[in-house]
Amino acid sequence: MTISIDPKTFLLSKQLPNLSYSATTHRFDETWEAPLSTLLGLGRAAGADFVEFFLERSNYISCLAEDDQITSISPRLSTGAGVRVFKGKADCYVSTNDLSFNGLKSALEKALGIMALHLPAPNSYVPEINLELLRDYATKKGKDSWLQECSSMREMGEVLLAANGKLKQTATHIQSRRAAYFRDWQEVLVASSDGTFARDIRLTQSVGYNLLCADGTNRSSIGQRVGDTSNPNFLTTWDYGATAEDVSESAGKMLYADYVESGTYPIIMANQFGGVIFHEACGHLLETTQIERNTTPFAEMKGQKIAHESLTAWDEGLSGNAFGTIDMDDEGMPAQRTLLIENGILKNFIADRAGSIRTGHPRTGSGRRNSYAYAAASRMRNTYIAPGEHHVDELFNSIEKGIYCKKMGGGSVGATGQFNFAVDEAYLIENGKITKPLKGATLIGEAKEIMNKISMCSADLGLAAGFCGSVSGSIYVTVGQPHIKVDSITVGGR
């Protein structure tokens, strides 16, 4: 049987300027399939090995209460798209605020030009890319109404002022009280030349305190923040009373605490935000971005021992409402779990598409970005040390003299894992018991060394919200761990 094909049904390159598509402007849905599949086909016809479009709409607002006043309400709206073009292992990225067909086509042309690729001749056929049926996580999981269900500006102000009022009741020697909240809503659509076509809505919220106390020359500053994804009613369910009591108690103890003496100590690091050191000092070194830059000591150590045999660590996007939880990454890959370290052995790296192409490590659903202005990169999600078999008391009983690091503060990490982190709340351990508060402690070390000195992990895994900055901007992540014992580490002090 002979099949005749009408050439008029094929799109020619010269027809592109006259095309008109009616994609929905207030929502990313199936109507975007036709224009995006055409543009992806144009990119492939120009000689690109792979083309990806990332579309985004975002609605952000933050609110700050200082003492008994609302001092700042900052909204931000944005809409835009980015196109990424690969040729071999090289790639480039161009972003635009113009989501019309011609606007996206112009961005694609610029990206192709950067890669020394050219649009096909006027009479060349442009094959449309056959995209999958839209994987719509937002509609499937009831996320389309989230933005309307979030707290109003009035409610934000009322909650934060009430929270600051509670802090005034619970703390003493107050110099300043701050309660801050933000809500970040984002709708994204990913379409790429491998057929990916996926949509999602993310809702990330965070609220917390910062308390500064002073009495003469004595000072203490304690902050505490909680975060959530996927719960529009998050702010109204915040137990600010319990948080105020916790922050006030910590600030009071640190106000008159003795300064720690510099030296080398065994330490116990608390669960939850204590995991920030693993995130910074080790997690980043397991991203394929670091392999590409030759800035990780672990590049050739897959399958080898890089940590104490007591340590197992995960990175995943699936833990309930945790800060780094995502249904899909910013390249359209569904979230999953990645075993990073098992009993001290390096098992996997954290990889996005570019990292996978350039290093050979498989993608892990970890292509993430701050917004459409950035190309996706290998980034962490919920990253934590897994729970161990010990009871917390066993960790303390194993230490004759050491330091308990209850709350971690800020710090810095060098390119290859050297770090220093301040400890906001610390206590002296003597003969297995906490004896007195200490302040001014700074933990100093190197990733390759400290990972081999984490000799005991308790069973009380806790997660905490965090923010992570890297090549693709600032993103929301979770850090975490159970209580852990580090056999020895340098502690800076007085």
Side-chain angles (χ1 to χ4, degrees):
M1 180 175 66
T2 302
I3 299 176
S4 61
I5 298 177
D6 184 357
K8 294 181 181 179
T9 63
F10 286 82
L11 181 65
L12 295 177
S13 182
K14 65 182 179 182
Q15 297 173 307
L16 288 171
N18 299 319
L19 290 178
S20 177
Y21 293 101
S22 56
T24 307
T25 56
H26 66 277
R27 174 188 172 97
F28 297 141
D29 57 18
E30 294 87 350
T31 61
W32 287 85
E33 179 182 359
L36 291 174
S37 63
T38 298
L39 291 168
L40 291 167
L42 178 61
R44 293 285 281 120
D49 292 331
F50 180 83
V51 183
E52 175 199 80
F53 281 90
F54 176 83
L55 279 62
E56 177 198 29
R57 294 194 304 135
S58 67
N59 185 317
Y60 174 95
I61 190 168
S62 64
C63 186
L64 173 64
E66 296 182 281
D67 298 325
D68 298 312
Q69 296 184 62
I70 299 296
T71 57
S72 175
I73 295 179
S74 302
R76 184 179 71 244
L77 304 174
S78 68
T79 301
V83 57
R84 195 170 194 178
V85 171
F86 283 83
K87 183 66 175 176
K89 293 185 178 181
D91 73 285
C92 74
Y93 188 77
V94 174
S95 63
T96 179
N97 295 115
D98 186 351
L99 266 61
S100 68
F101 180 79
N102 286 332
L104 295 175
K105 177 174 172 287
S106 176
L108 173 62
E109 289 183 53
K110 290 178 182 177
L112 292 170
I114 293 171
M115 301 300 290
L117 300 174
H118 306 286
L119 294 180
N123 290 320
S124 300
Y125 291 116
V126 177
E128 293 183 354
I129 297 298
N130 185 23
L131 297 176
E132 65 177 313
L133 292 175
L134 181 64
R135 270 186 292 123
D136 192 344
Y137 294 99
T139 299
K140 180 180 179 180
K141 297 195 174 184
K143 304 178 182 182
D144 290 307
S145 62
W146 276 357
L147 184 59
Q148 290 71 36
E149 296 171 7
C150 288
S151 295
S152 65
M153 284 191 288
R154 176 181 293 275
E155 193 168 52
M156 294 176 202
E158 290 173 348
V159 171
L160 295 185
L161 289 175
N164 260 2
K166 185 64 175 179
L167 200 59
K168 187 177 182 178
Q169 297 173 10
T170 57
T172 59
H173 303 290
I174 298 170
Q175 190 167 53
S176 69
R177 294 168 286 134
R178 292 163 60 97
Y181 163 80
F182 77 79
R183 179 261 294 148
D184 193 357
W185 176 94
Q186 180 194 46
E187 180 188 14
V188 301
L189 182 71
V190 179
S192 55
S193 58
D194 64 355
T196 297
F197 190 43
R199 171 182 181 257
D200 198 12
I201 285 176
R202 291 85 175 261
L203 177 63
T204 309
Q205 299 176 84
S206 181
V207 66
Y209 282 124
N210 186 272
L211 174 64
L212 177 62
C213 297
D215 184 15
T217 59
N218 297 304
R219 296 282 189 277
S220 66
S221 178
I222 296 290
Q224 189 164 318
R225 175 172 289 276
V226 291
D228 179 271
T229 60
S230 308
N231 179 12
N233 299 312
F234 165 71
L235 180 61
T236 57
T237 61
W238 177 39
D239 189 351
Y240 59 79
T243 306
E245 291 177 359
D246 186 33
V247 169
S248 298
E249 180 181 9
S250 296
K253 290 179 177 178
M254 291 300 104
L255 185 60
Y256 303 108
D258 292 334
Y259 283 93
V260 67
E261 294 182 6
S262 299
T264 299
Y265 297 88
I267 66 167
I268 292 173
M269 295 183 62
N271 59 357
Q272 299 182 356
F273 199 69
V276 68
I277 286 190
F278 178 81
H279 169 102
E280 294 288 0
C282 185
H284 277 297
L285 299 180
L286 301 182
E287 295 168 342
T288 51
T289 305
Q290 303 296 323
I291 300 177
E292 294 175 53
R293 295 178 171 185
N294 197 30
T295 53
T296 172
F298 304 130
E300 305 297 331
M301 297 189 68
K302 187 172 180 179
Q304 299 180 41
K305 184 177 182 294
I306 68 167
H308 194 281
E309 54 270 20
S310 69
L311 191 147
T312 293
W314 293 86
D315 178 83
E316 44 87 357
L318 302 171
S319 288
N321 291 358
F323 225 40
T325 292
I326 51 175
D327 282 313
M328 71 175 196
D329 73 359
D330 290 327
E331 297 177 320
M333 183 174 176
Q336 39 82 315
R337 300 184 192 276
T338 303
L339 178 62
L340 300 177
I341 301 170
E342 184 178 29
N343 300 326
I345 305 299
L346 176 59
K347 293 293 186 177
N348 290 289
F349 288 89
I350 297 166
D352 64 325
R353 183 183 299 278
S356 180
I357 289 173
R358 292 196 270 261
T359 69
H361 293 289
R363 292 170 65 197
T364 55
S366 307
R368 304 188 64 197
R369 62 185 104 198
N370 172 271
S371 72
Y372 71 89
Y374 297 84
S378 55
R379 306 292 299 274
M380 285 173 276
R381 298 161 296 180
N382 304 315
T383 311
Y384 49 83
I385 296 173
E389 300 178 350
H390 296 280
H391 191 277
V392 175
D393 288 344
E394 294 179 67
L395 276 64
F396 280 92
N397 290 335
S398 70
I399 294 178
E400 183 177 341
K401 183 178 181 180
I403 295 173
Y404 175 42
C405 303
K406 185 176 180 180
K407 288 184 179 177
M408 299 302 301
S412 62
V413 181
T416 57
Q418 305 89 351
F419 64 84
N420 66 82
F421 276 90
V423 184
D424 284 348
E425 185 177 0
Y427 297 88
L428 181 65
I429 303 171
E430 294 179 293
N431 298 317
K433 305 294 183 183
I434 292 174
T435 56
K436 68 175 183 178
L438 298 171
K439 61 185 176 184
T442 301
L443 305 184
I444 303 168
E446 186 174 354
K448 288 184 68 175
E449 294 181 1
I450 192 174
M451 292 301 111
N452 282 287
K453 294 180 179 179
I454 299 174
S455 62
M456 300 176 74
C457 299
S458 67
D460 60 342
L461 172 64
L463 305 179
F467 307 88
C468 177
S470 188
V471 292
S472 59
S474 178
I475 61 171
Y476 306 118
V477 298
T478 295
V479 299
Q481 64 181 31
H483 279 75
I484 63 171
K485 177 190 175 185
V486 181
D487 288 337
S488 67
I489 191 171
T490 300
V491 178
R494 284 193 174 182

